[in-house]
Amino acid sequence: MSDTSLRADSIPSVTLTKTAPRRRDTRTFWRLLLAIVAPLPMLCMGTVYVLKPFEGDAPLPDTAAAIGAHLRLYEVTQWLGVPFLVGLIPAVIALAWVTRRRTPVLTSVGAVWTLLGCLSAFPLLVPDDLLAYLAVTKGLDVATVAALDDAWWALPVTGAAALLFISGIVVGLPLLGIALWRSRAAPRWMAIALIIGGATHPFLPNHVVAGIGLLVAGVGFAGATRALLRMTNNEFDLPPVPLSRG
């Protein structure tokens, strides 16, 4: 046997492994973001209902007159309504995320129902008060705008979107409230607030009481905030998976 072969045999084999890059863990960011967003839409929209100077079912000419008399107040409520439009879907997701593991079926039904209502309503339903505001500020003929508003609401697709949205608030949100109750992720009084605030909102007698109903629903959504703040990242979601190098 040659010296060369002896030297080759005596050298231990070395296996080179590639270390997979570590992925940044963003679970804290998402958990806190959902916790912050969860109560804001209903709290802001409840405040809008309390402050607005007209009833939700008032004829458009009456709404235009009330807006003209309280123009700055109405413009404030417009900005307060933005978190509702932007944040309601993430808020529903936050609520569903908290209850999905303990009450999976009930959470799935309630979340899908509510989200379908939101997704159908937001692009299709134009608030009467916004048209009235444009008539007042742009010098448009109120009677013409009112006729346009009536024609818009007479469309079958608009009626279907409105019905689905109302059912999402009246049925979908209370189902999520029951899921919150049964999951025990938050105190039962917060689950009750979500059930009552959602189910009663369209049937309350005036805009102030309806606004209080939405504020109560916002307290229910805060149950998701409480649960998210109390859970660990591992309870919130699985950790990130390193990407292997091929």
Side-chain angles (χ1 to χ4, degrees), residues 41-52 54-57 84 169 193 196-218:
M42 286 299 180
L43 293 178
C44 288
M45 185 53 68
T47 304
V48 168
Y49 268 76
V50 171
L51 292 179
K52 69 180 185 179
F54 50 84
E55 297 297 338
D57 57 352
F84 180 81
I169 299 297
I196 294 176
T200 61
H201 166 66
F203 311 108
L204 296 175
N206 59 63
H207 67 92
V208 175
V209 180
I212 293 173
L214 290 179
L215 292 174
V216 170

Side-chain angles (χ1 to χ4, degrees), residues 176-202:
L176 288 174
I178 296 172
L180 188 63
W181 175 304
R182 293 183 59 183
S183 70
R184 299 181 181 178
R188 286 184 173 179
W189 63 267
M190 301 185 91
I192 293 172
L194 182 60
I195 296 169
I196 294 176
T200 61
H201 166 66

Side-chain angles (χ1 to χ4, degrees), residues 81-137:
V82 172
F84 180 81
L85 296 174
V86 175
L88 184 57
I89 290 176
V92 173
I93 292 173
L95 191 59
W97 198 271
V98 167
T99 62
R100 76 193 194 285
R101 295 175 65 186
R102 297 183 180 180
T103 55
V105 175
L106 193 57
T107 296
S108 298
V109 174
V112 169
W113 201 323
T114 306
L115 291 174
L116 281 177
C118 297
L119 292 172
S120 67
F122 288 170
L124 293 174
L125 302 183
V126 179
D128 295 345
D129 53 282
L130 182 58
L131 294 178
Y133 171 76
L134 292 174
V136 170
T137 56

Side-chain angles (χ1 to χ4, degrees), residues 129-153:
D129 53 282
L130 182 58
L131 294 178
Y133 171 76
L134 292 174
V136 170
T137 56
K138 304 301 180 182
L140 305 177
D141 181 66
V142 174
T144 301
V145 174
L148 174 64
D149 181 58
D150 291 339
W152 176 257
W153 283 101

Side-chain angles (χ1 to χ4, degrees), residues 125 152-164:
L125 302 183
W152 176 257
W153 283 101
L155 292 174
V157 67
T158 306
L163 181 61
L164 188 56

